[in-house]
């Protein structure tokens, strides 16, 4: 087997997304996955948050939407035992795509194949050594052991990452003594779904929709009259260390419901059965020399619905920086910004998921009062929007160099409608190739001339927009704004600032 520029350990969502983004940037990665086949064990039930916007900016969202087995659910989300209901907002800050992880991995695998990515399944990384020049990776494959070398190794090998251990990166945090079981099931004919979403169970009575807290745990029910299935959720305090590769069964779910709620719920079948424990852990560093981490190898969050979003955004942030280094044009410190930015984003996600733990695990009257008060606050639009943006990861603003950066600098680029000489387009379409973009919104010849020396590294576009937020935007491949010129900013400040931003993010011209 030939050597590679980048070896990716793990062909889960983060690893495949990283491979796709590296390929778009002109790097050929090698993906090594210890399992011989894609796993069908249900894990995450869908995508949500900022990654949906990023997929749209890559031109992939419609493809992913088409693969969903069911319609997109109404924008209602659990938050630590209370509810976030965005249905009354015309533009919810948080959306979900009901794409189970096994379908997501298939789509990412197909996209990687279209780009010519080498994904070797049944090849387990068994050892790693690194020096200043690169990494040497020992692998056990179907035909025996071998060694492959690369400039960099990225550990996308999950919560029990061996790459993280070999790199000597600490993974501090907390393990919560609880087991969560989540299922999408069909009911037998003897169970009636009432008009308000409650269930009428013979011999027991009514189980109300939403969350029911008992002395033995938490039970959740989501259903709609006429819907083919219902969502069930249980949480119990338990210290069993389950193997994630051993699937949950209907019997295990029914036993859990009997312990928590005291009911035997007749079930006809299931479309999703998953079990997980909650941990709050974050790697001390996302980089150790030529070894980097992404996805669950870098962070574990104690709440549902955020891990995939965070891991895929890790991959997008890292890929273009690794590619710049491998192509020999990365400015000093560029690769270190991966840790600085994504560790910050991970800490922000940890903040709200730990807050959910505090809301969810309290059992006394004070905890009930706290949940009631938070639920009341979340009926107001401003706190509801703020919480939705936080969960989506849309409130992240990466720190940008220089004094007094523009308010857009460090944020996800707004998808402005654009008018050009060739017609209309949007910012999202300019980011499909995953290249840096300088967007001139005020026909500033001085700024276009200032970027001429970087012409091979940045795509320059001139367009008009109805309400321009700035005269120009420098947008990184990960769709974050690296620099912006204020409206009518004079050339004597805008041009030097653009030169500085281009040098900081794209290197010496």
């Amino acid at each position: 087997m030939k050597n590679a520029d980048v070896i990716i350990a793990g062909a889960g969502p983060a690893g495949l997304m990283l491979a796709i983004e590296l390929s778009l940037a002109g790097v050929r990665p090698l993906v090594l996955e210890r399992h011989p086949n894609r796993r069908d064990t249900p894990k995450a039930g869908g995508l949500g948050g900022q990654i949906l916007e990023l997929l749209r900016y890559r031109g992939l969202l419609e493809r992913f939407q088409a693969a969903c087995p069911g319609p997109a659910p109404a924008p209602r989300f659990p938050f630590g035992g209370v509810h976030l209901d965005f249905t009354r907002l015309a533009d919810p800050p948080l959306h979900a795509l009901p794409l189970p992880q096994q379908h997501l991995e298939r789509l990412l695998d197909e996209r990687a194949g279209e780009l010519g990515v080498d994904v070797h399944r049944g090849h387990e990384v068994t050892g790693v050594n690194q020096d200043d020049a690169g990494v040497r990776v020992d692998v056990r494959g179907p035909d025996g052991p071998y060694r492959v070398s690369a400039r960099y190794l990225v550990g996308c090998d999950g919560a029990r990452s061996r790459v993280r251990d070999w790199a000597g990166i600490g993974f501090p945090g907390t393990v919560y003594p609880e087991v969560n079981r989540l299922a999408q099931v069909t009911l037998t004919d003897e169970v009636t779904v009432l008009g308000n979403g409650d269930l009428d169970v013979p011999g027991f009575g009514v189980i109300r929709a939403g969350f029911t807290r008992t002395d033995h745990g938490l039970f959740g029910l989501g259903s709609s009259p006429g819907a083919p299935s219902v969502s069930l959720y249980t949480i119990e305090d338990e210290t069993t260390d389950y193997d994630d590769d051993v699937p949950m069964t209907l019997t295990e779910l029914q036993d859990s419901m009997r312990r928590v709620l005291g009911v035997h719920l007749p079930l006809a079948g299931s479309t999703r059965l998953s079990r997980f424990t909650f941990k709050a852990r974050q790697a001390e560093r996302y980089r150790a020399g030529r070894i980097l981490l992404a996805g669950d190898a870098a962070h574990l969050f104690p709440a549902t619905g955020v891990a995939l979003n965070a891991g895929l955004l890790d991959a997008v942030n890292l890929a273009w920086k690794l590619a710049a280094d491998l192509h020999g044009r990365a400015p000093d410190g560029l690769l270190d910004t991966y840790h600085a930015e994504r560790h910050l984003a991970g800490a922000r996600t940890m903040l709200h998921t730990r807050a959910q733990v505090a809301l969810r695990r309290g059992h006394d009257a004070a905890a009930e009062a706290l949940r009631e008060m938070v639920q009341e606050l979340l009926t107001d639009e401003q706190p509801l929007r703020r919480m939705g943006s936080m969960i989506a990861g849309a409130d992240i603003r990466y720190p940008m160099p220089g004094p007094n950066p523009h308010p857009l600098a460090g944020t996800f680029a707004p998808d402005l409608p654009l008018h050009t000489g060739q017609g209309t387009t949007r910012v999202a379409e300019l980011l499909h190739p995953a290249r840096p973009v300088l967007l001139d919104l005020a026909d500033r010849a001085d700024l276009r001339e200032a970027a001429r020396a970087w012409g091979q590294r940045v795509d320059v576009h001139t367009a008009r927009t109805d309400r321009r937020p700035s005269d120009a935007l420098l947008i990184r491949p990960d769709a974050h704004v690296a620099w912006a010129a204020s409206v009518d900013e004079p050339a004597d400040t805008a041009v030097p600032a653009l030169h500085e931003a281009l040098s900081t993010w794209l290197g010496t011209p």
Side-chain angles (χ1 to χ4, degrees):
M1 185 176 292
K2 296 180 180 179
N3 293 340
D5 288 327
V6 179
I7 296 172
I8 300 170
L16 291 171
M17 190 72 181
L18 177 60
I20 290 167
E21 290 284 307
L22 285 170
S23 295
L24 290 174
V27 172
R28 291 299 179 189
L30 171 64
V31 183
L32 301 174
E33 167 57 53
R34 67 186 179 92
H35 291 280
N37 301 295
R38 283 199 309 268
R39 287 165 291 172
D40 291 329
T41 303
K43 290 188 176 181
L47 283 175
Q50 194 67 21
I51 190 59
L52 297 181
E53 280 296 280
L54 195 285
L55 289 173
R56 188 165 66 84
Y57 277 45
R58 289 293 185 265
L60 294 173
L61 183 58
E62 290 186 359
R63 177 174 177 176
F64 281 49
Q65 289 172 327
C68 290
R76 298 185 182 95
F77 303 93
F79 185 85
V82 300
H83 291 87
L84 302 174
D85 187 348
F86 299 103
T87 55
R88 59 190 177 86
L89 301 181
D91 54 339
L94 180 63
H95 295 272
L97 195 66
L99 185 66
Q101 184 167 332
Q102 61 269 37
H103 299 326
L104 169 65
E105 291 187 13
R106 174 181 58 80
L107 288 170
L108 292 172
D109 208 8
E110 289 174 358
R111 179 60 176 150
E114 292 166 3
L115 295 171
V117 174
D118 289 327
V119 180
H120 294 273
R121 299 184 182 275
H123 292 248
E124 181 179 6
V125 176
T126 58
V128 172
N129 288 286
Q130 67 166 318
D131 55 29
D132 291 342
V135 291
R136 292 166 301 284
V137 177
D138 294 318
V139 186
R140 181 169 54 244
D143 298 324
Y146 64 92
R147 173 173 286 186
V148 61
S149 299
R151 297 272 299 281
Y152 288 99
L153 167 67
V154 184
C156 298
D157 51 339
R160 293 183 172 90
S161 172
R162 298 178 73 188
V163 171
R164 184 183 62 232
D165 294 340
W166 287 319
I169 297 175
F171 200 44
T174 303
V175 178
Y176 296 98
E178 62 185 34
V179 174
N180 300 255
R181 294 176 174 89
L182 181 63
Q184 196 76 21
V185 301
T186 53
L187 306 169
T188 63
D189 292 339
E190 57 193 297
V191 180
T192 303
V193 180
L194 303 178
N196 61 357
D198 294 349
L199 300 184
D200 188 0
V201 182
F204 179 81
V206 173
I207 302 175
R208 65 182 180 86
F211 291 110
T212 301
R213 190 175 299 274
T214 74
D215 292 338
H216 305 287
L218 184 69
F219 175 82
L221 164 66
S223 63
S224 300
S229 62
V230 300
S231 299
L232 302 177
Y233 183 45
T234 66
I235 302 179
E236 298 179 82
D237 278 0
E238 190 178 341
T239 58
T240 306
D241 187 17
Y242 288 96
D243 185 343
D244 291 342
D245 292 329
V246 177
M248 186 175 77
T249 63
L250 275 177
T251 299
E252 181 183 333
L253 173 66
Q254 288 176 310
D255 289 344
S256 178
M257 287 189 293
R258 189 180 296 110
R259 291 189 297 268
V260 172
L261 203 58
V263 61
H264 173 74
L265 185 62
L267 303 178
S270 65
T271 55
R272 180 192 178 191
L273 290 169
S274 59
R275 174 210 316 111
F276 48 92
T277 55
F278 277 142
K279 302 176 179 67
R281 295 189 182 278
Q282 188 170 23
E284 293 175 337
R285 296 170 288 156
Y286 285 14
R287 179 188 181 190
R290 292 187 172 271
I291 300 176
L292 301 105
L293 304 175
D296 287 354
H299 41 64
L300 298 172
F301 302 114
T304 58
V306 295
L308 275 178
N309 182 50
L312 294 172
L313 291 176
D314 288 344
V316 175
N317 185 287
L318 174 59
W320 70 275
K321 298 172 182 178
L322 263 181
D325 185 276
L326 291 164
H327 291 316
R329 56 174 182 255
D332 290 342
L334 179 65
L335 198 50
D336 288 329
T337 67
Y338 169 65
H339 166 83
E341 293 178 352
R342 292 310 297 165
H343 200 273
L344 170 70
R348 186 72 173 163
T349 304
M350 195 68 74
L351 176 67
H352 77 74
T353 53
R354 277 180 165 152
Q356 292 187 56
V357 173
L359 281 172
R360 186 179 69 241
R361 287 186 59 78
H363 296 291
D364 60 9
E368 290 290 351
L370 177 62
R371 283 188 286 268
E372 184 177 344
M373 186 185 72
V374 170
Q375 186 70 77
E376 185 174 321
L377 287 172
L378 291 173
T379 62
D380 293 339
E381 182 173 344
Q382 192 278 335
L384 182 63
R385 285 189 179 279
R386 182 161 186 164
M387 192 65 71
S389 294
M390 180 185 290
I391 296 170
D395 68 334
I396 297 296
R397 184 182 181 187
Y398 295 142
M400 290 289 125
N404 303 316
H406 190 280
L408 285 174
T411 68
F412 199 84
D415 190 22
L416 303 170
L418 303 174
H419 310 288
T420 72
Q422 289 74 46
T424 60
T425 184
R426 301 190 71 92
V427 169
E429 295 184 45
L430 305 183
L431 271 294
H432 285 188
R435 282 176 49 84
V437 168
L438 177 63
L439 178 58
D440 174 11
L441 295 171
D443 198 13
R444 294 280 301 261
D446 57 333
L447 298 180
R448 297 195 300 273
E449 179 60 30
R452 183 185 297 275
W454 286 268
Q456 297 300 313
R457 302 183 191 177
V458 61
D459 296 335
V460 179
H461 298 272
T462 301
R464 293 179 296 104
T465 192
D466 297 333
R467 296 182 180 179
R468 77 177 191 267
S470 64
D471 274 6
L473 296 171
L474 177 62
I475 306 173
R476 309 186 320 187
D478 61 355
H480 278 77
V481 177
W483 167 87
S486 300
V487 173
D488 298 327
E489 183 174 348
D492 61 351
T493 59
V495 170
L498 176 57
H499 275 154
E500 181 66 23
L502 288 164
S503 297
T504 297
W505 297 109
L506 304 183
T508 303

